[in-house]
Amino acid sequence: MLQKLLLNTTLKSICNIKCIRKFSDHSTISLPKRIFSGIQPTGTIHLGNYLGAIRQWVRLQEEENGIILSIVDLHSMTLRHDPKVLSENILKMTATLLAVGLDPKKVIIFQQSSVPQHTELFWYLSCISTMARLAHLPQYKEKSAQLKDIPLGLFVYPVLQAADILAYRATHVPVGEDQLQHLQLSQELTKMFNNRFKTKFPIPHAVITENAKIKSLRNPEKKMSKSDPDTKGCIYITDSEEEITKKIKKAITDFISEVEYKPETRPGVSNLVLMHSAVTGKPIETIINDAKGLSTAEYKHIVASEVNDHLSPIREKYYEYLDNPQHLLDVLETGRSIVTPIAEETLREVRKALGIGFNVNNKQMLSVNI
Ligand code: TYM
């Protein structure tokens, strides 16, 4: 189903993790055997999710058939949740993925909990994970610091993520930069499993783009995030034009009026330039040239207008899709029926490697050495 293809990519090592960054140089590597990624169903997506990860999926679907995308509902239970809101959010996320241009004839979209093999594999991987390693992960440290009673699910969350990836023997995982440490853990667990149980599962690679880290509009030192307490820091694709314009106008920049791209020293205005470049497809140099003579306040109007032009049609489609929940359920059910046999095949191999995969038709396997 998945053909080989060549992409303009270069191998790069970031944070000790093997990942593939899409650049426009001319080195080539052969991509991919299997692409897998996931997103939590927390309502709709923000511009960080969209530009950092989902747009990659939309582009990749033109080059590669059968990308597997999971709406990871189990991951969104690690903090207290409302069951009614979660089921609505699963459908909203399905509508969002279709609205941004993912085509269920080309990609496979499914709900994580509908494939129980994920949680089974999660248990096996938990048994080779160590508490010391998991306690080290930055997202756990950050989230747990705000809680008095830390749910176990929050702690073991990245092991479930590794299981998601391994269940499909994924080779390439397109994500934003905030997921790199989790991907590194997935690599380690797969290697450990292979070494201990003599299997040959592929080691997954992160695939990230230039837009892998879109920052908060209110705190450009931090990533744009749904959990940002300042809601003005985050642009949702369902925000109205007025809301988007207001948020961009209020974006924190600095006291220098000139429009420049200097992420280290001027993160606020650079974040706007990056967003502008990502939604228009214009190179950053062109944007800086065109903005010569404009103050950052004037420039914000242009960015708001470009972001609105890009998001308005997506927002319209989103509401159209939401009007037809049966279609959304059908998409998820089709996805489930396609991925379940793939995951089950992996689990059969895993169970066998672990010594629990008896085959009652194979008498030899049933003989016991006493
Ligand atoms: P989630 O739901 O938080 O985010 C979904 C995707 O959006 C990217 N992203 C960003 N990219 C750039 N700038 C930002 N500000 C930004 N914020 C979010 C994320 O990197 C991600 O790619 N644990 C994962 C979901 C998951 C998963 C998996 C991913 C579960 N299993 C297996 C890949 C493979 C998560 O919470 O993503």
Side-chain angles (χ1 to χ4, degrees), residues 36-40 46 48-49 52-53 72 75 157 161 164-165 173 175-176 178-179 211-214 223-224 226:
F36 177 92
S37 199
I39 186 159
Q40 292 193 50
H46 56 66
N49 300 130
V72 291
H75 278 105
Y157 169 113
Q161 183 161 349
D164 295 338
I165 296 168
V173 185
V175 283
D178 62 318
Q179 294 300 317
N211 313 318
K213 198 164 186 184
I214 300 293
K223 69 167 184 173
M224 186 175 281
K226 323 174 215 213

Side-chain angles (χ1 to χ4, degrees), residues 139-307:
Q139 283 200 16
Y140 169 72
K141 283 199 220 163
E142 200 183 305
K143 288 198 173 157
S144 60
Q146 298 154 19
L147 299 169
K148 209 164 111 227
D149 287 319
I150 303 162
L152 183 60
L154 189 65
F155 188 63
V156 292
Y157 169 113
V159 183
L160 179 58
Q161 183 161 349
D164 295 338
I165 296 168
L166 178 57
Y168 303 99
R169 303 167 198 247
T171 50
H172 294 77
V173 185
V175 283
E177 219 165 274
D178 62 318
Q179 294 300 317
L180 285 181
Q181 282 88 356
H182 291 165
L183 258 289
Q184 188 176 16
L185 180 80
S186 298
Q187 293 183 337
E188 287 167 17
L189 290 178
T190 309
K191 278 184 201 159
M192 216 188 281
F193 193 95
N194 280 344
N195 285 341
R196 222 177 265 188
F197 301 108
K198 311 285 172 264
T199 47
K200 288 195 174 136
F201 291 118
I203 308 302
H205 291 79
V207 185
I208 61 171
T209 64
E210 293 85 344
N211 313 318
K213 198 164 186 184
I214 300 293
K215 309 280 177 50
S216 159
L217 296 179
R218 301 295 291 168
N219 182 356
E221 304 292 334
K222 288 184 135 185
K223 69 167 184 173
M224 186 175 281
S225 163
K226 323 174 215 213
S227 47
D228 193 337
D230 188 343
T231 52
K232 289 192 219 69
C234 197
I235 294 179
Y236 291 96
I237 64 154
T238 47
D239 281 346
S240 67
E241 293 206 2
E242 295 72 37
E243 281 169 316
I244 291 176
T245 307
K246 219 160 141 190
K247 285 180 182 180
I248 293 179
K249 257 168 89 178
K250 289 207 173 330
I252 302 275
T253 47
D254 50 31
F255 298 112
I256 305 169
S257 172
E258 202 182 336
V259 177
E260 292 178 303
Y261 186 70
K262 292 184 176 164
E264 295 303 321
T265 51
R266 302 193 60 204
V269 69
S270 303
N271 192 36
L272 295 178
V273 171
L274 187 64
M275 276 165 35
H276 185 180
S277 162
V279 295
T280 56
K282 286 186 193 164
I284 285 176
E285 307 81 70
T286 312
I287 285 178
I288 300 294
N289 264 333
D290 292 350
K292 274 210 173 96
L294 294 179
S295 66
T296 42
E298 289 164 332
Y299 177 62
K300 282 177 179 176
H301 285 285
I302 297 177
V303 179
S305 151
E306 296 287 8
V307 170

Side-chain angles (χ1 to χ4, degrees), residues 124-148:
Y124 304 142
L125 293 182
S126 293
C127 293
I128 62 167
S129 303
T130 68
M131 291 175 54
R133 179 67 182 90
L134 297 182
H136 231 74
L137 289 163
Q139 283 200 16
Y140 169 72
K141 283 199 220 163
E142 200 183 305
K143 288 198 173 157
S144 60
Q146 298 154 19
L147 299 169
K148 209 164 111 227

Side-chain angles (χ1 to χ4, degrees), residues 40 73-81 143 147 151 153-155 157:
Q40 292 193 50
D73 49 355
L74 298 173
H75 278 105
S76 56
M77 292 179 185
T78 50
L79 297 176
R80 198 180 271 251
H81 81 282
K143 288 198 173 157
L147 299 169
L154 189 65
F155 188 63
Y157 169 113

